[in-house]
Amino acid sequence: MKKLVVLSGAGISAESGISTFRDNGGLWDNYRIEDVATPEAWLRNQELVLDFYNQRRKQAESVKPNAAHYALAELENHFDVTIITQNVDNLHEVAGSSKVIHLHGELFKSRSTKNPDLVYEMKTWELKTGDLCEEGSQLRPHIVWFGEEVPMMAVAMDITEEADIFLVIGTSLAVYPAAGLVNYVAPGRPIFIVDPAQPEISLKKNMTFIQEKATTGMDSLIKKYLLPDN
Ligand code: APR
């Protein structure tokens, strides 16, 4: 089976009702990154950071995957699919995708502030001060904050280098190192981009830009390019 590697961003979850970051009204219109998504923010105002992610977890609990998530899961019947997502929601997994790499962490997991190997599934949406790991230290959101290492990046680069087909869906390609993955696609391999707006990338001859939202764009991608004979 051909290897289809997908880089997804907040845009694929937009039609499920989860706001993106940089569209009008997006998360960064309402919060400053330096107040809620950096290690310094955590040290300066732990309650504000905990509340920011509690609100996002509470919202994410009530949303469902959309047709784009399901289309990617279904493509596993035709391709060896790996999803590299910048999203921290679990909609790819809920839709049935079996190989999902979270570059920026996972909203429904918490992590020890003392021992980063201690990661816990969260049973409820709320993480509070006083919620401690088994070694007695405060739990934090299992999220990669700005300025922190992206532990899964090396794995993501290796997988991207092996891609026969690369799909970029719903990301502005504004944040590195994630956005740099496009440069690890082997020369000449096709790159498809699904987004209502052109991300921050200059289109090269091996790139096909499908200027549509995720749900209809996936439909066009599959019918015209991935499975034209189906
Ligand atoms: N379908 C597809 N794409 C969409 C849709 C939609 N319905 N609606 C919006 N988009 C596109 C926008 O045009 C934009 O290109 O989704 C992208 C959203 O971009 P961002 O808000 O920047 O989200 P993302 O690219 O995932 O951000 C990357 O930045 O803040 C950090 O850690 C955060 O993982 C995030 C990273």
Side-chain angles (χ1 to χ4, degrees):
M1 274 181 161
K2 283 197 172 187
K3 292 184 190 306
L4 169 63
V5 179
V6 182
L7 174 62
S8 69
I12 196 171
S13 298
E15 291 163 88
S16 294
I18 296 184
S19 45
T20 63
F21 295 92
R22 295 174 183 81
D23 290 318
N24 295 336
L27 269 172
W28 299 145
D29 280 356
N30 303 305
Y31 292 88
R32 287 170 6 114
I33 289 175
E34 48 274 29
D35 291 343
V36 293
T38 65
E40 296 74 20
W42 175 255
L43 295 174
R44 188 171 56 243
N45 190 338
Q46 180 176 303
E47 291 306 320
L48 178 64
V49 175
L50 286 170
D51 183 55
F52 174 66
Y53 288 95
N54 284 340
Q55 294 311 314
R56 291 179 65 190
R57 236 175 260 114
K58 206 171 170 186
Q59 193 217 18
E61 258 188 347
S62 59
V63 299
K64 300 263 177 295
N66 61 57
H69 296 105
Y70 286 115
L72 287 174
E74 202 283 332
L75 282 174
E76 293 189 6
N77 296 314
H78 308 275
F79 297 93
D80 173 7
V81 182
T82 302
I83 295 180
I84 300 166
T85 188
Q86 299 171 88
N87 299 342
V88 294
D89 63 56
N90 58 0
L91 295 180
H92 283 302
E93 292 91 339
V94 173
S97 288
S98 58
K99 286 196 282 183
V100 182
I101 293 170
H102 285 271
L103 288 181
H104 295 161
E106 297 179 68
L107 199 51
F108 288 97
K109 290 185 179 172
S110 65
R111 182 170 88 226
S112 163
T113 45
K114 188 173 165 187
N115 176 351
D117 297 333
L118 297 178
V119 177
Y120 304 89
E121 291 287 339
M122 288 183 62
K123 302 280 176 285
T124 68
W125 57 270
E126 200 171 15
L127 184 60
K128 303 184 299 298
T129 296
D131 290 348
L132 307 180
C133 78
E134 60 208 81
E135 292 177 2
S137 74
Q138 174 64 43
L139 290 173
R140 58 163 274 184
H142 183 49
I143 299 289
V144 177
W145 285 328
F146 285 86
E148 293 188 316
E149 281 295 301
V150 180
M152 296 305 288
M153 195 59 204
V155 168
M157 285 152 53
D158 290 346
I159 287 170
T160 301
E161 284 174 340
E162 298 301 313
D164 296 304
I165 304 167
F166 195 74
L167 166 60
V168 177
I169 180 164
T171 174
S172 60
L173 293 176
V175 173
Y176 286 77
L181 276 176
V182 182
N183 303 319
Y184 286 84
V185 178
R189 300 278 163 82
I191 297 176
F192 295 95
I193 298 168
V194 174
D195 196 309
Q198 183 169 330
E200 292 179 33
I201 187 168
S202 47
L203 296 177
K204 299 190 178 64
K205 59 183 187 310
N206 64 323
M207 294 180 180
T208 304
F209 177 37
I210 298 172
Q211 189 157 9
E212 293 185 49
K213 58 186 185 177
T215 50
T216 57
M218 278 304 299
D219 209 33
S220 307
L221 173 73
I222 291 167
K223 288 192 173 123
K224 280 171 72 176
Y225 301 101
L226 295 187
L227 300 171
D229 305 326
N230 267 29

